Amino acid sequence: MKSESALDFFPVATTLNARGKLIDLSRPQVMGILNVTPDSFFDGGKYITESAIIAQAGKILAEGATFIDVGAYSSRPGADDIPEQEEMTRSVAAIRSIHREFPKAIIAVDTFRSKVAEAAVDEGATLINDISAGELDLNMPATVARLMVPYVAMHMRGTPATMKSLVSYDNLIKDIVDYFHRKLFAFHQLGIKDLIIDPGFGFAKTIDQNFQLLQHLDYVRILGKPILAGLSRKSMIWKTLHQQPNESLNGTTSLNTIALMKGASILRVHDVKAAVEAVTLFTAMQHPTTKDLNPPPSS
C-alpha cells in the first residue's frame, strides 16, 4: 500500500506564464544563479565582465536550466548595503547582454527594489525574485502586478544585515505558512497571478531551523503555489559537514534531492548540471516504465 504524505493532500499549480512563455512545473525545473556581484558568498567577483557573464549564461542554459537568475545585490548574512543605482547599473547591463545573446532565455532578476525590477523587465527579464516578498520595498507588489510577470516571494525577517538575530519563532512551519497566507491574499488583491513561494533557507533561520524546514517542506504546499528551494552551497550544508562552500556540491545535491521528494518545483542552484541530473533521476523514480518493472524471464 502506498504511504500517504502531505504531497497527496496539497496539490499545487503546475504551470507558470512568463509573459506568454508557458512553463510546465509538473516536472521540477532548475534555476541557475548568475551573481554579478563582487561579494556574493560563493561566486562573488567571477562574473563581472560582459564576456564572463555571457559565457556563464550560455553554460547555465547548455546544462539544462529553465531560468537564469541574475543578482546584482549580495544578500549573504551581514552583506553591505549598496546604493540602488549601483545595483541597477550592474543588473541592467547583465540582463541586456544576456537577452541580446540568448533572446529566448527566461531571465529572472533577483532584487527587492521595485525600480531595479522594472528596469530589468524593460531589458528582457521575465520574472522577479524578491528575497523580502515586498517587505523591503512596499512598491514592489504593485510594480509586479503592473508588469504582469511571475513573482518569487521569499520568507525573510529584517534585512541581510540583521536577519541572523531574528530567528525566534513560536512554530517555524506554522509561522512561515501564516506569513505567506497573508502575503498571498494581498498579492491576489493586486492581481498578481503567477506566484512562487520560497521558504527562505538560510534567511533568518538557524542551521537546525533550516533542517526542520526541509524536513517539513511538503507542508508548505498547503499554500497551493509552486515551491522554490534555494539550498545551493549554503552554510547549513558546509558547516554541518565541516567544509567550505567550494566543497559542498555533494551536500547540495543530497539536500536538493530531499527537497524534490518534499515537493519542490524549482531548484535554485549554482551548479546546474548536478541539479538537472537530480531532477532526471527523481523523475525516473516517480514515473518508472512498465517494462522496467517486469521481472526478468526465468531460465
Side-chain angles (χ1 to χ4, degrees):
M1 179 182 295
K2 178 185 175 183
S3 60
E4 293 182 332
S5 74
L7 303 186
D8 300 303
F9 297 105
F10 305 137
V12 302
T14 57
T15 58
L16 195 67
N17 188 338
R19 293 196 134 187
K21 298 177 183 177
L22 199 61
I23 301 162
D24 180 11
L25 296 179
S26 61
R27 173 189 170 99
Q29 303 295 330
V30 173
M31 176 180 284
I33 299 168
L34 207 173
N35 287 321
V36 294
T37 56
D39 57 344
S40 291
F41 79 93
F42 173 64
D43 55 1
K46 287 186 177 181
Y47 312 114
I48 300 298
T49 66
E50 182 180 41
S51 60
I53 290 167
I54 291 172
Q56 181 63 9
K59 182 173 184 283
I60 287 170
L61 294 171
E63 290 182 347
T66 300
F67 311 91
I68 301 174
D69 190 39
V70 177
Y73 182 109
S74 177
S75 57
R76 64 179 172 78
D80 291 335
D81 190 25
I82 63 169
E84 180 177 79
Q85 187 57 50
E86 183 176 349
E87 182 190 359
M88 187 178 297
T89 299
R90 291 178 187 169
S91 180
V92 164
I95 289 169
R96 182 187 295 131
S97 298
I98 296 167
H99 185 60
R100 183 188 67 241
E101 294 293 321
F102 309 102
K104 294 183 179 180
I106 301 172
I107 305 170
V109 56
D110 181 0
T111 185
F112 58 81
R113 289 165 165 160
S114 60
K115 290 182 180 178
V116 175
E118 184 161 12
V121 170
D122 287 344
E123 293 293 340
T126 53
L127 188 149
I128 295 169
N129 181 10
D130 178 3
I131 62 170
S132 78
E135 291 288 322
L136 296 179
D137 183 342
L138 299 181
N139 293 320
M140 179 67 91
T143 300
V144 173
R146 177 166 48 80
L147 295 173
M148 295 187 291
V149 294
Y151 186 42
V152 180
M154 195 186 82
H155 175 270
M156 182 180 73
R157 288 174 164 179
T159 68
T162 64
M163 62 185 178
K164 288 182 74 173
S165 64
L166 302 173
V167 295
S168 178
Y169 297 88
D170 293 329
N171 180 305
L172 178 67
I173 307 304
K174 182 179 182 299
D175 288 357
I176 290 173
V177 170
D178 287 349
Y179 171 89
F180 279 121
H181 269 306
R182 294 190 297 271
K183 287 289 182 184
L184 292 178
F185 177 78
F187 296 156
H188 286 147
Q189 292 292 102
L190 288 169
I192 301 175
K193 300 185 184 301
D194 289 280
L195 285 157
I196 301 160
I197 296 301
D198 180 350
F201 289 101
F203 288 80
K205 298 167 189 74
T206 65
I207 289 176
D208 285 345
Q209 287 168 341
N210 285 318
F211 281 107
Q212 182 185 351
L213 175 57
L214 180 59
Q215 182 182 11
H216 299 291
L217 186 63
D218 47 345
Y219 287 95
V220 180
R221 289 168 59 97
I222 196 173
L223 297 160
K225 302 298 180 184
I227 298 170
L228 182 150
L231 293 152
S232 185
R233 296 185 180 269
K234 288 192 172 173
S235 62
M236 65 182 289
I237 300 169
W238 53 269
K239 286 186 177 179
T240 299
L241 297 175
H242 306 291
Q243 298 174 336
Q244 293 301 312
N246 63 355
E247 301 174 289
S248 60
L249 174 56
N250 187 57
T252 295
T253 303
S254 298
L255 295 197
N256 276 339
T257 302
I258 295 170
L260 292 171
M261 296 178 72
K262 292 289 185 177
S265 296
I266 301 172
L267 300 178
R268 181 179 180 273
V269 298
H270 298 90
D271 308 278
V272 171
K273 183 175 182 290
V276 169
E277 289 176 353
V279 168
T280 300
L281 294 173
F282 168 76
T283 304
M285 181 188 73
Q286 295 294 98
H287 305 288
T289 65
T290 303
K291 182 173 122 178
D292 290 339
L293 289 175
N294 290 333
S298 58
S299 58

